[in-house]
């Protein structure tokens, strides 16, 4: 038995500090949430911009090894009429000095994937809540480290999954809770987005070449949380049901190499190297209670960006790409879709009714603002984030589990139970509490 497994088995879960879901924020609703921010490149600045729109937020410290990015972000905070935040840029691990500050409640990080877990662990161990860009971890062991550290320290660790706050996602949550679809049986979702230019660093707005290195040496679903987050809410994952096992299969890898040859010429080193990531990955997931999910990942092929959303229940189905719904015995024509517009008006979520104007232009259809708004609101009230550490682990662990399955002829791979059985009694997400 490994030392990490012995450590997990020995971990005591009793007491307030032992439950990540019950961890209390250290600030009251009358006190500001003091935020340290790690990684203020393009994505980080977008999140920071939305954070600065909110009342009750202060940003005393920023960290980025790129001095230009850091200075630009410091200017953004100053323009928001706050004191210029202290900058940390000595090295890739200078986030540790930021986390050790005594004037922070929360550390947000928007860094390359490999830094998500180390920064979150440093924050929690220093007595701060942690919020990380997606995915939260890259290995099974990292997922356990996040859970164990959150439980041990009593600090929240959330993943910044903006897709959970999309208007259509919360609409679907409403119609499921209202019983329109009956019992949910199946969902289909995927992240299908041509980011070849981003990976090779030739996109008009800049690139993220670190993503290319993952594509060169890994094969699986490397970016699952955008599609699986909403589905997990709809299916009560970690709150009445749980992912049981998955099987994953990837197509051959062709498109990255072809893009490099076209962009840089056949003799360029980027054209001569091989890329392991299959162009299209399909991962099938079954839950303990028998629900199934088809999850897709494709960031390599030339395509139009798709947000695949389809959910099937015992009484009907909803297809977001068709903007259509079918309800057995209610829809006017049997076995024919009807437009979902009237249902969207009737079952529009109150968060969007309340905050639509503030969310306009915030990025990703308003989801970027909504996730920041909800995070700050919950912490200010001493509540757990909508997405807790068990969600962060369960959604992120699809990455290594899918890699394992792909590497072994699509063998079934079991999900760890990060809740240690608490999923059986935890209450489902309540749409009325997301306001």
């Amino acid at each position: 038995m490994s030392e990490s497994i012995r450590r997990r088995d020995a971990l005591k879960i009793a007491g307030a500090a032992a439950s990540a879901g019950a961890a209390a924020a250290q600030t009251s609703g009358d006190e500001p949430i003091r935020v340290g921010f790690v990684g203020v490149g393009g994505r980080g600045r977008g999140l920071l911009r939305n954070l600065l729109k909110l009342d009750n937020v202060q940003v005393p410290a920023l960290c980025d090894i790129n001095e230009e990015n850091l200075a630009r972000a410091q200017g953004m905070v100053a323009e928001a009429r706050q004191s210029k935040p202290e900058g940390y840029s000595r090295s890739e691990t200078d986030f540790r000095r930021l986390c050790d500050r005594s004037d922070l409640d929360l550390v947000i990080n928007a860094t390359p994937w490999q830094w998500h877990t180390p920064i979150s662990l440093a924050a929690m161990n220093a007595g701060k809540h942690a919020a990380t860009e997606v995915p939260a971890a890259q290995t099974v062991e990292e997922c356990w480290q996040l859970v164990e550290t959150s439980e041990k320290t009593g600090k929240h660790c959330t993943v910044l999954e903006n897709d959970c706050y999309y208007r259509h996602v919360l609409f679907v949550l409403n119609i499921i809770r209202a019983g329109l679809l009956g019992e949910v049986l199946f969902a289909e979702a995927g992240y299908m987005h041509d980011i070849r230019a981003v990976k090779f660093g030739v996109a008009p707005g800049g690139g993220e070449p670190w993503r290319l290195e993952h594509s060169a040496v890994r094969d699986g679903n490397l970016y699952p949380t955008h599609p699986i987050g909403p589905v997990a809410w709809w299916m009560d994952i970690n709150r009445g049901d749980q992912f049981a096992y998955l099987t994953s299969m990837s197509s051959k890898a062709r498109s990255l190499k072809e893009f490099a040859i076209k962009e840089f010429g056949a003799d360029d080193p980027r054209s001569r190297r091989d890329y392991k990531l299959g162009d299209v990955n399909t991962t099938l997931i079954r839950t303990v209670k028998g629900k199934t999910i088809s999850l897709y990942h494709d960031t390599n092929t030339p395509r139009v960006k798709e947000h695949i959303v389809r959910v099937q229940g015992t009484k009907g189905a909803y297809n977001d790409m068709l903007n259509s719904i079918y309800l057995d015995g209610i829809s006017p024509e049997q076995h024919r879709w009807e437009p979902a517009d009237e249902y969207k008006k009737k079952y529009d979520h109150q968060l969007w009714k309340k905050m639509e104007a503030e969310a306009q232009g915030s990025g990703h259809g308003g989801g970027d603002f909504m996730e920041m708004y909800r995070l700050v609101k919950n912490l200010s009230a001493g509540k757990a984030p909508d997405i807790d550490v068990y969600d962060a682990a369960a959604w992120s662990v699809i990455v290594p589990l899918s890699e394992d399955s792909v590497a072994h002829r699509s063998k079934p791979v079991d999900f760890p139970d990060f809740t240690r059985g608490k999923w059986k009694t935890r209450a489902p997400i309540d749409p009325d509490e997301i306001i």
Side-chain angles (χ1 to χ4, degrees), residues 6 13 113 169 184 214-215 240-241 249 297 374 376 404:
R6 284 195 294 269
I13 308 176
W113 297 340
V169 168
V184 174
H214 290 278
S215 299
D241 201 353
M249 179 182 296
H297 176 264
R374 285 295 301 161
V376 169
D404 186 14

Side-chain angles (χ1 to χ4, degrees), residues 191-192 219-221 248-255 277-283 295-301 303 406:
Y191 187 78
M192 321 287 280
D219 190 13
N221 188 327
S248 188
M249 179 182 296
S250 291
S251 73
K252 63 177 68 175
R254 287 292 182 268
S255 297
L277 180 64
D279 285 355
V280 182
N281 175 271
T282 303
T283 297
L295 198 65
Y296 308 112
H297 176 264
D298 174 6
T299 58
N300 291 355
T301 65
R303 58 159 37 256
V406 168

Side-chain angles (χ1 to χ4, degrees), residues 344-356:
K344 286 184 173 180
K345 291 178 183 177
K346 182 176 180 179
Y347 293 97
D348 192 17
H349 193 272
Q350 57 187 341
L351 177 65
W352 278 92
K353 293 178 182 178
K354 176 184 176 182
M355 305 298 296
E356 179 177 7

Side-chain angles (χ1 to χ4, degrees), residues 254-305:
R254 287 292 182 268
S255 297
L256 288 179
K257 195 175 187 72
E258 291 178 2
F259 180 90
I261 292 172
K262 181 179 179 180
E263 187 75 21
F264 310 115
D267 294 330
D268 189 277
R270 290 163 290 188
S271 303
R272 294 199 302 269
R273 75 183 301 189
D274 291 324
Y275 300 94
K276 187 175 181 180
L277 180 64
D279 285 355
V280 182
N281 175 271
T282 303
T283 297
L284 303 178
I285 300 174
R286 196 176 196 273
T287 76
V288 170
K289 293 192 174 181
K291 305 180 189 82
T292 57
I293 304 162
S294 290
L295 198 65
Y296 308 112
H297 176 264
D298 174 6
T299 58
N300 291 355
T301 65
R303 58 159 37 256
V304 176
K305 184 177 181 180

Side-chain angles (χ1 to χ4, degrees), residues 6-285:
R6 284 195 294 269
R7 190 169 64 250
R8 288 198 290 272
D9 290 342
L11 189 64
K12 303 300 182 183
I13 308 176
S19 174
Q26 298 301 305
T27 57
S28 72
D30 297 326
E31 297 174 336
I33 297 296
R34 303 166 301 174
V35 182
F37 216 106
V38 183
V40 287
R43 179 60 181 157
R45 286 196 303 277
L47 293 176
L48 179 61
R49 186 175 298 110
N50 283 304
L51 191 69
L52 292 172
K53 292 179 182 178
L54 302 174
D55 296 331
N56 211 31
V57 171
Q58 294 177 356
V59 183
L62 301 171
C63 178
D64 199 300
I65 59 173
N66 184 306
E67 295 283 357
E68 183 177 342
N69 287 343
L70 183 60
R72 188 180 294 115
Q74 286 174 314
M76 289 171 58
V77 178
E79 289 173 7
R81 298 186 178 181
Q82 296 190 25
S83 299
K84 179 181 177 181
E86 185 171 352
Y88 293 81
S89 58
R90 290 180 183 175
S91 69
E92 288 184 328
T93 59
D94 209 21
F95 61 83
R96 294 171 183 161
R97 287 200 303 133
L98 178 146
C99 290
D100 285 338
R101 292 175 64 108
S102 61
D103 61 347
L104 298 178
D105 305 303
L106 168 68
V107 174
I108 295 176
N109 96 75
T111 59
W113 297 340
Q114 62 268 26
W115 291 106
H116 291 182
T117 296
I119 294 169
S120 295
L121 294 176
M124 288 187 286
N125 282 321
K128 284 78 175 175
H129 302 301
T132 178
E133 261 297 341
V134 299
Q138 293 296 303
T139 67
V140 176
E141 182 62 24
E142 282 188 340
C143 289
W144 274 115
Q145 288 172 350
L146 293 175
V147 170
E148 292 175 349
T149 303
S150 182
E151 291 177 338
K152 179 181 68 176
T153 62
K155 294 300 172 183
H156 298 301
C157 179
T158 186
V159 65
L160 296 171
E161 187 39 75
N162 52 6
D163 278 39
C164 286
Y165 299 96
Y166 284 0
R167 196 166 204 154
H168 69 269
V169 168
L170 293 175
F171 155 74
V172 173
L173 187 60
N174 267 349
I175 64 173
I176 288 173
R177 294 292 186 264
L180 267 68
L181 299 183
E183 182 183 359
V184 174
L185 302 171
F186 168 77
E188 182 179 33
Y191 187 78
M192 321 287 280
H193 188 188
D194 180 2
I195 59 170
R196 293 171 298 166
V198 173
K199 291 184 181 184
F200 283 101
V202 295
E208 296 174 336
W210 54 268
R211 289 181 183 261
L212 187 66
E213 298 311 307
H214 290 278
S215 299
V217 300
R218 306 172 66 186
D219 190 13
N221 188 327
L222 304 188
Y223 206 60
T225 70
H226 286 328
I228 203 62
V231 172
W233 277 10
W234 300 337
M235 291 187 171
D236 300 333
I237 300 303
N238 290 335
R239 298 170 171 85
D241 201 353
Q242 186 187 35
F243 296 138
Y245 62 91
L246 65 72
T247 183
S248 188
M249 179 182 296
S250 291
S251 73
K252 63 177 68 175
R254 287 292 182 268
S255 297
L256 288 179
K257 195 175 187 72
E258 291 178 2
F259 180 90
I261 292 172
K262 181 179 179 180
E263 187 75 21
F264 310 115
D267 294 330
D268 189 277
R270 290 163 290 188
S271 303
R272 294 199 302 269
R273 75 183 301 189
D274 291 324
Y275 300 94
K276 187 175 181 180
L277 180 64
D279 285 355
V280 182
N281 175 271
T282 303
T283 297
L284 303 178
I285 300 174

Side-chain angles (χ1 to χ4, degrees), residues 328-393:
D328 192 26
I330 297 176
S331 293
E333 296 185 62
Q334 189 176 20
H335 301 155
R336 293 184 68 87
W337 293 108
E338 63 172 311
D341 296 329
E342 292 304 313
Y343 292 93
K344 286 184 173 180
K345 291 178 183 177
K346 182 176 180 179
Y347 293 97
D348 192 17
H349 193 272
Q350 57 187 341
L351 177 65
W352 278 92
K353 293 178 182 178
K354 176 184 176 182
M355 305 298 296
E356 179 177 7
E358 289 84 351
Q360 291 299 316
S362 67
H364 293 94
D368 288 355
F369 172 82
M370 295 300 193
E371 69 177 352
M372 288 288 110
Y373 167 76
R374 285 295 301 161
L375 175 60
V376 169
K377 183 172 184 179
N378 281 340
L379 293 182
S380 296
K383 296 180 180 179
D386 300 328
I387 302 167
D388 64 20
V389 71
Y390 303 123
D391 301 321

